[in-house]
Amino acid sequence: MTWTVVRSRTDARDGRLPGVWWLGLRRGALEIKQFFRQRDQVVFTFAFPVVFLFLFASIFSDDVEGAGIKASQLYVPAMMAAGIMSTSFQSLGVSIAVERDEKVLRRLRGTPMPSAAYFLGKIWLVLVTGILETAILLLVGTTLYDVALPSDAGRWFAFAWIFVLGLTACALLGIAVSSVPKSSKSASSVVVLPFLVLQFISGVYIAIDTIPDWMLNIGALFPLKWMCQGLRGVFLPDSAQVLEQAGNWEFGRTALVLGAWCVGGLLLCLLTFRWKNRRAG
């Protein structure tokens, strides 16, 4: 029996509720269980980026001149970044908007469960699905498209902080954007459209060296472009740096931008999050 379980039972006997972290963990387990019970959602979530990776990598498979890689290899880290944003920003933006419209949030708000436990549950869901999505894409990339795993600890460390900062920033943005749709019917359109546009101007579907600079500058304002660039720096050889807008991986700037979005996303959540729909007053 773990210390946490013992503590929660002791708290119950003393008339006190379990701690926020324990409730958040239990809420996360419930969120994960509900997610995997919806088989069509599970298949779509994990298969969508894999299918797109296969399509683009099959269409664009020639050698990239001067970069020492094949065009197909560019899509592996890009799709990994898009997969991270899909399981965080898109998933939370839509699901929370639906729960708000169906008054799930109002009912949860009326229970003794702390508000923080609800968000911790969502974070656990995003973390588990994000790890699984990344692992699947990495397996496909290394198996089918000759993407090499990092051979030094420094790049694995870079992979870890890019994943954590990127997932955190996108999750916070997803929570914030969930307040924009007026109903569950419009949630998908409101959330998916900007995500789709960002994928085109951030180097997911189109190579960075073929995107106009003004589009890249717009994409550079958001986390996805930096996640793509950072993951390319982790999994591609240094010879591929010539394809980047600045001619190098810019790990320092990537960390700065993603960290800034974590702070900015948290502020947006605090300023915009609502437990009730606008029309509910």
Side-chain angles (χ1 to χ4, degrees):
M1 183 181 297
T2 64
W3 179 84
T4 308
V5 175
V6 172
R7 187 187 67 174
S8 66
R9 290 181 179 176
T10 303
D11 290 346
R13 288 197 297 268
D14 294 342
R16 293 183 287 118
L17 290 173
V20 172
W21 289 104
W22 172 244
L23 288 173
L25 182 62
R26 296 297 299 271
R27 179 70 194 178
L30 177 62
E31 293 275 359
I32 294 168
K33 185 181 295 184
Q34 289 177 335
F35 171 80
F36 281 101
R37 282 178 176 174
Q38 301 176 26
R39 295 183 181 180
D40 53 344
Q41 181 182 1
V42 173
V43 172
F44 179 83
T45 298
F46 294 124
F48 185 81
V50 175
V51 171
F52 267 68
L53 172 59
F54 176 77
L55 289 174
F56 280 97
S58 299
I59 296 170
F60 304 101
S61 57
D62 297 334
D63 293 336
V64 180
E65 185 177 355
I69 59 171
K70 293 182 178 295
S72 57
Q73 293 175 305
L74 285 170
Y75 288 103
V76 176
M79 287 299 175
M80 288 172 61
I84 293 171
M85 192 166 186
S86 174
T87 56
S88 52
F89 172 79
Q90 180 175 302
S91 176
L92 292 186
V94 174
S95 64
I96 294 176
V98 171
E99 289 176 355
R100 180 183 293 111
D101 193 46
E102 295 178 349
K103 298 181 174 58
V104 174
L105 296 188
R106 293 184 66 178
R107 291 194 292 270
L108 288 175
R109 184 68 165 169
T111 68
M113 184 184 74
S115 301
Y118 169 77
F119 294 108
L120 285 173
K122 292 295 186 184
I123 289 172
W124 279 114
L125 172 63
V126 165
L127 181 62
V128 169
T129 54
I131 290 174
L132 288 175
E133 183 81 273
T134 303
I136 292 170
L137 288 166
L138 189 56
L139 177 63
V140 173
T142 54
T143 304
L144 300 181
Y145 304 111
D146 299 322
V147 172
L149 293 175
S151 58
D152 60 277
R155 293 209 175 190
W156 279 115
F157 177 70
F159 171 69
W161 64 254
I162 291 168
F163 178 85
V164 172
L165 290 180
L167 192 75
T168 302
C170 292
L172 290 170
L173 285 175
I175 295 172
V177 82
S178 71
S179 297
V180 176
K182 293 182 179 180
S183 69
S184 58
K185 294 180 180 179
S186 63
S188 294
S189 301
V190 170
V191 176
V192 173
L193 180 59
F195 178 41
L196 182 62
V197 172
L198 280 178
Q199 289 178 84
F200 276 98
I201 65 175
S202 301
V204 176
Y205 298 141
I206 302 174
I208 285 290
D209 59 338
T210 61
I211 302 175
D213 283 344
W214 67 270
M215 285 189 179
L216 286 176
N217 292 335
I218 295 175
L221 298 174
F222 301 94
L224 184 57
K225 186 263 185 186
W226 299 99
M227 291 161 60
C228 290
Q229 182 171 312
L231 291 176
R232 283 195 294 269
V234 170
F235 294 104
L236 298 182
D238 287 337
S239 57
Q241 293 184 91
V242 297
L243 301 176
E244 301 298 333
Q245 189 177 20
N248 59 76
W249 300 128
E250 297 184 290
F251 283 120
R253 181 172 292 184
T254 298
L256 182 63
V257 173
L258 293 180
W261 268 112
C262 288
V263 176
L266 179 60
L267 291 176
L268 284 174
C269 290
L270 294 174
L271 292 173
T272 64
F273 187 80
R274 294 177 291 102
W275 291 92
K276 297 187 291 184
N277 241 344
R278 295 173 189 172
R279 64 188 181 194

